[in-house]
Amino acid sequence: MKVDGKLNVWRTAEVVEEARHHEKAGYDGLWASESKHDPFLPLLLAAEHTDRLEVGTAIAVAFARSPMQLAYTAHDLQTYSGGRFVLGLGSQIKPHIERRFAMPWSRPAARMREYVSALRAIWAAWNEGEKLDFQGDFYTHTLMSPFFSPPPAPGGAPQVFVAAVGEAMTRVAGEVADGLLAHGFTTERYLREVTLPTVEAGLTKSGRTRGDFSVSHLLLTATGRTEEELARAVDGTRRQIAFYGSTPAYRGVLELHGWGELGDELNALSKSDRADKWEAMGGLVDDDVLHAFAVVAEPGRVAAEIRLRYGSLVDRVSFYTAYEIDAEVWEPIVQELHGS
């Protein structure tokens, strides 16, 4: 099982230090996300100061950019890293695409399928010299003169992972992507009964098998070296589960477990005027819900719990921690997972 880290710093010296630390600690990859900062710029630094570590986005917002714009950025990072870049894409939601990015939104699963296909057509023009003639419902790319064509990238086109929760986007990932980024608001049962069968359907449609595909899980993990640390970790994890559970788009995960009413309660409370609503929402997440979504264990038991629950389901894992904890806690866990 591969283990990936999360890049949570953005100053130049800190990015270099984090990248070197993750490579030395044995992590396989280091991911940057798009929230308050551009996800691509720090990855250039991370790639420059490491030799083995994969660098990638988890996620970059696809629909905030044209496929051509993103194709250039990803191709350059694949070149700069010597073939170690992974492009993780997410759709975001309609209000952000239309009102924050001022870009068009419609039929997100169909648009993502076409988006990834457009990227592959562009990269094929640069890496294999194919004529660019991509014509779709959302994107059209038919012009590529030599002046604007970069040289082929080492290792060819980067791998593309697609983030998905719902079945339509998950099927798209299986059809056109190299991997799936499973959302943190995912349970073992949902992965086994919904996500993976849907991925398999997409793979079958594209003529591929599970061996051609990677599933990466951002796993909610609550741990601590003392009772106080563990209690703080559990409290933060309950609140994070409650935050995601209040979002109607993720209701299907709760419904699979018979917890649809919890989603309604969380959604209503999130819209209330209560000053303590986020703490109150966390209080609605009981132990059954907590343990379904998160691995909760002392550091010495975390790797064994992950292997037991997810070892046959996912290919890569990263730790989702909604609390502060020393980075050194994870190093023996990484090594133990590599031995699984």
Side-chain angles (χ1 to χ4, degrees):
M1 183 182 291
K2 289 188 175 183
V3 186
D4 302 309
K6 180 78 176 294
L7 187 62
N8 291 313
V9 295
W10 304 95
R11 296 180 185 275
T12 300
E14 292 175 334
V15 171
V16 172
E17 182 181 356
E18 280 290 284
R20 287 173 171 168
H21 163 77
H22 278 81
E23 182 163 76
K24 184 178 180 180
Y27 285 86
D28 297 282
L30 183 62
W31 309 117
S33 63
E34 183 163 25
S35 52
K36 297 179 181 179
H37 301 277
D38 179 275
F40 298 105
L41 294 177
L43 295 180
L44 178 59
L45 283 169
E48 180 185 7
H49 292 277
T50 56
D51 300 310
R52 173 193 57 79
L53 197 69
E54 291 179 286
V55 295
T57 54
I59 53 85
V61 180
F63 303 156
R65 306 165 173 87
S66 78
M68 183 63 70
Q69 176 191 9
L70 190 52
Y72 277 113
T73 301
H75 184 89
D76 285 348
L77 274 169
Q78 178 77 334
T79 300
Y80 296 149
S81 67
R84 291 183 285 135
F85 178 64
V86 179
L87 178 62
L89 298 176
S91 60
Q92 246 299 345
I93 58 176
K94 182 177 180 179
H96 284 273
I97 298 302
E98 291 186 338
R99 295 164 49 199
R100 183 155 66 99
F101 292 108
M103 294 292 281
W105 170 275
S106 65
R107 300 167 55 202
R111 184 180 287 269
M112 183 65 78
R113 179 187 292 106
E114 189 172 300
Y115 197 106
V116 176
S117 298
L119 288 173
R120 296 203 188 281
I122 296 165
W123 290 330
W126 298 339
N127 291 317
E128 286 100 48
E130 295 186 10
K131 177 179 173 57
L132 181 60
D133 186 21
F134 184 86
Q135 301 183 50
D137 296 327
F138 308 102
Y139 306 103
T140 298
H141 301 281
T142 59
L143 177 62
M144 183 53 59
S145 55
F147 184 80
F148 296 104
S149 299
Q159 288 192 318
V160 178
F161 283 29
V162 169
V165 178
E167 293 184 56
M169 192 67 77
T170 301
R171 186 176 295 106
V172 166
E175 289 179 21
V176 299
D178 300 294
L180 171 81
L181 294 169
H183 197 282
F185 194 72
T186 300
T187 65
E188 173 192 354
R189 181 180 172 189
Y190 192 84
L191 276 171
R192 190 182 303 277
E193 296 182 14
V194 178
T195 301
L196 292 181
T198 306
V199 164
E200 291 281 3
L203 288 169
T204 298
K205 185 173 181 180
S206 64
R208 298 184 295 163
T209 66
R210 181 66 174 81
D212 302 314
F213 193 84
S214 293
V215 175
S216 175
H217 186 19
L218 180 61
L219 177 59
L220 282 161
T221 312
T223 192
R225 294 160 294 189
T226 66
E227 290 185 8
E228 291 77 14
E229 281 189 352
L230 185 56
R232 186 167 61 249
V234 166
D235 187 53
T237 304
R238 288 188 199 274
R239 290 199 300 270
Q240 194 64 42
I241 292 169
F243 169 74
Y244 285 129
S246 70
T247 306
Y250 303 145
R251 182 185 172 90
V253 186
L254 292 172
E255 287 181 338
L256 179 68
H257 292 267
W259 297 329
E261 290 185 1
L262 172 62
D264 296 335
E265 292 181 70
L266 292 170
N267 181 257
L269 193 50
S270 72
K271 296 176 180 177
S272 73
D273 296 327
R274 286 182 56 170
D276 66 339
K277 63 183 180 182
W278 301 111
E279 290 78 9
M281 288 165 61
L284 295 177
V285 176
D286 64 24
D287 285 349
D288 287 341
V289 177
L290 170 69
H291 287 274
F293 282 96
V295 166
V296 182
E298 295 83 7
R301 292 178 44 240
V302 168
E305 287 293 318
I306 292 175
R307 285 201 305 268
L308 177 65
R309 293 171 57 178
Y310 297 97
S312 64
L313 302 178
V314 306
D315 306 287
R316 312 180 73 119
V317 68
S318 51
F319 311 116
Y320 191 167
T321 55
Y323 53 92
E324 295 293 328
I325 190 168
D326 292 339
E328 64 185 24
V329 170
W330 303 105
E331 295 178 17
I333 298 173
V334 172
Q335 296 304 320
E336 189 174 346
L337 285 172
H338 279 156
S340 60

